[in-house]
Amino acid sequence: EKGGFDSFMDKEIHDQPAAVRDTLLGRLNEKGELTLDELKIDESVLRSIDKIIVVACGTAAYAGNVARYAIEHWCRIPTEVELAHEFRYRDPIVNEKTLVVAISQSGETMDTLMAVRHAQEQGAKVISICNTNGSTLPRESDAALYTHAGPEIAVASTKAFLAQITATYVLGLYLAQLRGNKYKDEVREILRELEAMPDKIQRVIDNEDQVKNLGRAMAEEESVLFLGRHVGFPVAMEGALKLKEIAYIHAEGFAAGELKHGPIALIEEDLPVFVVVPSPRGRDSLHSKVVSNIQEIRARGARTIVIAEEGDEAVKPYSDTVIYVPEAPTLLQPLLATVPLQIFACALAGAKGYDVDQPRNLAKSVTVE
Ligand code: BG6
């Protein structure tokens, strides 16, 4: 049951350290290598793959968007992400050298199943990342990599999302290990860092009062924007989706770099804007670019709510609120930065008196096309 929480969603947010830990469990050996016995696809086939296409819907598709950054970087395999219901209608280029990764909590989403069937007809191999044992999707796939988030009851996905991201990291790192690559040391280091993530997620949750108070105080907002860059972009999209799903507030996620190409026109006095800031220790000066974005929107009167890494002082002068999350390698940051956005949406929708577990018009799994 709800275990003392107000809602299943609230409980499932708190289940996330365990969901990530359990999804890693038994997949890392003492030598610090990945072992994926369940991946019943010939290693030679996995070595010969020249393209990966991730298909999924909703929150699972945002997990796929995070996965793309990680898999391409670690494996150097071109990776696309496509909403499952769009996939087969564009006559996609798929063949025996294509690996399709289907992500679905329920394993019953018809759009995702149809995409998988289409890919299989063209000879692609399919690995599904799924949270529900024995559901249709893993049964029809060549191999399944289960997430171990436990049953997710709330319609809006939380712990399944973090578990899906974790499983895609595991898959990406496994493929990198299998194929050998120039980032060997980095891969080993990332595996160590991955094991530290459950405790770090717990630290974000321990800080929930700050975010809950913010959510309650913002119950009357009519529109909220979310900005992010690199892996922070799908995190921003997911933050906006949570708010739409359970609080029925207009919310949009944007790539921070796209701001100047249009969305900045939306910024007006007092508009709340969440910004997911990359680590200042990261490559490519992304951090300073996102800090500039915060300055730009602040100068136009926006109320800036910034999610940044602990110790990042640079964001402070331009932030109305800073929510700090622990340090982590850039590619792993979504496991931390997403959590305050979930807590925020849950608190805000609760303050409006809505049933956060059963949002209007939505079903937990959609088994029609
Ligand atoms: C939607 C659900 O209909 O399906 C979302 O409301 C979910 O929460 C999406 O992300 C995909 O579902 P699944 O089971 O394929 O991950």
Side-chain angles (χ1 to χ4, degrees):
E1 273 297 307
K2 289 181 200 163
F5 292 98
D6 290 344
S7 62
F8 280 108
M9 183 175 177
D10 196 16
K11 174 186 177 288
E12 288 161 3
I13 288 169
H14 286 77
D15 285 344
Q16 292 184 115
V20 170
R21 191 176 293 119
D22 291 347
T23 297
L24 293 172
L25 202 70
R27 289 169 170 166
L28 283 164
N29 69 18
E30 306 85 59
K31 282 190 267 168
E33 289 165 348
L34 281 159
T35 49
L36 290 184
D37 300 335
E38 63 262 66
L39 229 54
K40 295 189 180 67
I41 298 177
D42 207 63
E43 286 192 2
S44 64
V45 174
L46 290 176
R47 276 197 199 93
S48 68
I49 282 156
D50 64 7
K51 177 160 81 170
I52 295 175
I53 306 178
V54 183
V55 293
C57 303
T59 290
Y62 294 138
N65 278 295
V66 172
R68 177 160 66 110
Y69 291 90
I71 294 175
E72 283 200 333
H73 178 68
W74 295 327
C75 307
R76 312 309 298 157
I77 306 172
T79 303
E80 304 168 10
V81 187
E82 184 131 21
L83 293 168
H85 38 87
E86 286 293 320
F87 176 67
R88 68 193 167 116
Y89 299 102
R90 72 173 164 100
D91 193 14
I93 300 167
V94 178
N95 58 40
E96 299 75 22
K97 291 194 164 182
T98 310
L99 175 67
V100 166
V101 178
I103 308 178
S104 171
Q105 188 285 131
S106 62
E108 300 296 348
T109 300
M110 188 54 74
D111 286 323
T112 307
L113 264 171
M114 295 308 279
V116 160
R117 288 175 188 160
H118 181 78
Q120 282 173 326
E121 280 164 21
Q122 333 276 313
K125 290 277 180 261
V126 177
I127 296 176
S128 55
I129 291 178
C130 184
N131 197 49
T132 312
N133 249 299
S135 56
T136 311
L137 182 65
R139 274 194 280 119
E140 292 199 12
S141 305
D142 297 280
L145 192 61
Y146 280 102
T147 48
H148 298 295
E152 192 177 63
I153 310 293
V155 167
S157 185
T158 54
K159 64 177 180 175
F161 180 63
L162 261 58
Q164 285 160 353
I165 293 174
T166 304
T168 65
Y169 291 152
V170 166
L171 179 62
L173 292 166
Y174 178 76
L175 291 175
Q177 183 182 289
L178 195 71
R179 296 161 66 104
N181 69 55
K182 58 176 177 161
Y183 296 117
K184 263 209 179 81
D185 293 340
E186 188 182 333
V187 165
R188 217 169 290 134
E189 173 65 17
I190 287 280
L191 281 171
R192 259 199 305 278
E193 293 276 2
L194 206 45
E195 290 196 287
M197 293 310 282
D199 289 341
K200 292 184 181 180
I201 297 166
Q202 187 58 53
R203 280 169 55 201
V204 179
I205 294 171
D206 291 343
N207 205 16
E208 69 182 347
D209 285 346
Q210 180 199 12
V211 184
K212 281 190 168 173
N213 290 335
L214 187 71
R216 289 181 197 121
M218 286 173 64
E220 300 309 317
E221 297 297 340
E222 283 172 4
S223 179
V224 183
L225 302 186
F226 295 79
L227 298 178
R229 194 163 180 146
H230 191 261
V231 287
F233 174 30
V235 170
M237 299 298 286
E238 172 62 6
L241 180 62
K242 287 284 92 76
L243 216 48
K244 291 178 219 182
E245 285 181 311
I246 63 169
Y248 321 138
I249 288 181
H250 169 250
E252 272 190 83
F254 298 109
E258 192 65 6
L259 199 61
K260 58 186 176 301
H261 301 293
I264 199 161
L266 288 170
I267 305 294
E268 54 187 18
E269 203 60 41
D270 254 5
L271 180 76
V273 183
F274 278 82
V275 186
V276 181
V277 180
S279 167
R281 299 166 301 112
R283 279 178 293 257
D284 307 331
S285 69
L286 276 187
H287 175 266
S288 61
K289 288 187 172 139
V290 175
V291 174
S292 300
N293 291 141
I294 304 173
Q295 273 175 273
E296 284 156 12
I297 56 174
R298 189 71 166 344
R300 287 164 179 79
R303 218 169 344 127
T304 52
I305 304 152
V306 170
I307 299 178
E309 189 173 279
E310 274 164 10
D312 184 350
E313 296 292 322
V315 297
K316 273 196 178 156
Y318 317 109
S319 308
D320 290 281
T321 305
V322 187
I323 300 163
Y324 280 116
V325 298
E327 276 188 18
T330 299
L331 287 167
L332 304 188
Q333 198 202 25
L335 292 178
L336 304 173
T338 305
V339 179
L341 302 180
Q342 300 166 334
I343 296 169
F344 172 76
C346 190
L348 191 152
K352 288 180 89 91
Y354 297 145
D355 179 351
V356 298
D357 292 335
Q358 296 288 340
R360 68 185 184 201
N361 306 340
L362 295 177
K364 183 68 186 157
S365 77
V366 181
T367 53
V368 291
E369 262 192 288

